[in-house]
């Protein structure tokens, strides 16, 4: 691995194909995909979360990403979400986010965020909570990334078109080729 690792973060509201996109991009780019730690953590919480749970998920996501960086190939790491998700959920559920989370968000850089659009039909999942608020959360994601001054693209489309649109955004914004 060279000194400069390009990090691609796949983010957005619930049920928008983030995991599918992240795994696809990692496979196409010949590298690893950092999974969403919260999916493991929340499996037995029955959709009842505390602020401490959010902080635990924050630390879990950080540790998972750091553990997989050495396994990145071709100087690329693809992340299925980031700690920004913790901020969005903390703000929504508890009205504020712990400073340790917001401070790390400001420090932790990603070269590109792919924001998955809400044009996919909702797929029910025991770990998903707000089907009627996906438009709200899409706006929140875009606002958070604008506030960071992040390099991002909203990815839309159904089926294989969505994956192709994600690839094209990576090509256009990072100069990587598939």
């Amino acid at each position: 691995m060279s000194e400069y690792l390009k990090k691609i973060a796949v983010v957005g509201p619930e049920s928008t194909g983030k995991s599918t996109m992240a795994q696809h991009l990692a496979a196409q780019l010949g590298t690893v995909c950092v999974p969403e730690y919260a999916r493991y953590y929340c499996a037995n919480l029955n959709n009842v979360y505390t602020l401490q749970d959010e902080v635990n998920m924050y630390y879990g996501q950080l540790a998972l990403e750091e553990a997989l960086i050495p396994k990145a190939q071709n100087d690329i790491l693809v992340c299925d979400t980031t700690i920004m998700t913790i901020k969005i959920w903390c703000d929504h559920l508890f009205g504020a986010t712990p400073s340790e989370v917001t401070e790390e968000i400001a420090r932790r850089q990603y070269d590109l965020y792919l924001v998955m659009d809400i044009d996919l039909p909702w797929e029910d999942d025991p770990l998903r909570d707000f089907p009627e608020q996906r438009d709200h959360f899409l706006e929140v994601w875009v606002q958070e990334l604008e506030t960071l001054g992040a390099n991002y693209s909203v990815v839309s489309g159904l089926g294989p078109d969505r994956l192709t649109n994600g690839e094209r955004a990576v090509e256009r914004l990072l100069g990587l080729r598939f």
Side-chain angles (χ1 to χ4, degrees), residues 23-36:
Q23 292 164 9
H24 171 78
L25 292 174
Q28 294 299 308
L29 294 166
T31 193
V32 297
C33 176
V34 179
E36 181 181 12

Side-chain angles (χ1 to χ4, degrees), residues 6 37-38 46 58 61-62 65 72 80 88 113 118 123 126 129 132-133 146-147 154 160 174:
K6 288 188 186 260
Y37 179 77
N46 298 317
Y58 158 76
Q61 190 68 44
L62 284 180
E65 184 175 316
D80 178 1
I88 289 171
Y113 290 84
I118 58 173
E123 288 188 24
D129 296 306
E132 70 288 346
Q133 294 184 32
E146 287 284 335
T147 299
V154 176
L174 291 183

Side-chain angles (χ1 to χ4, degrees), residues 16 32 49 51-52 61 68 72 90 93-94 137 167 172 177:
T16 55
V32 297
Y49 315 108
L51 184 57
Q52 186 60 55
Q61 190 68 44
L68 290 175
C90 283
L93 296 172
F94 308 107
F137 285 110
E167 290 174 3
R172 184 175 66 255
R177 295 286 171 230

Side-chain angles (χ1 to χ4, degrees), residues 4-16:
Y4 187 65
L5 178 69
K6 288 188 186 260
K7 292 174 27 178
I8 301 168
V10 182
V11 299
E14 297 176 302
S15 191
T16 55

Side-chain angles (χ1 to χ4, degrees), residues 94-141:
F94 308 107
T97 299
S99 61
E100 62 203 289
V101 176
T102 56
E103 290 167 7
E104 183 61 26
I105 287 169
R107 284 190 298 267
R108 189 163 288 261
Q109 300 295 312
Y110 297 85
D111 297 277
L112 174 63
Y113 290 84
L114 295 180
V115 182
M116 298 295 98
D117 202 351
I118 58 173
D119 55 342
L120 290 182
W122 175 267
E123 288 188 24
D124 204 24
D125 177 318
L127 297 179
R128 294 181 179 148
D129 296 306
F130 300 106
E132 70 288 346
Q133 294 184 32
R134 290 195 307 163
D135 56 340
H136 164 74
F137 285 110
L138 179 60
E139 290 176 23
V140 170
W141 268 105

Side-chain angles (χ1 to χ4, degrees), residues 34-46:
V34 179
E36 181 181 12
Y37 179 77
R39 292 210 56 89
Y40 306 105
Y41 185 91
C42 293
N44 296 311
L45 291 183
N46 298 317

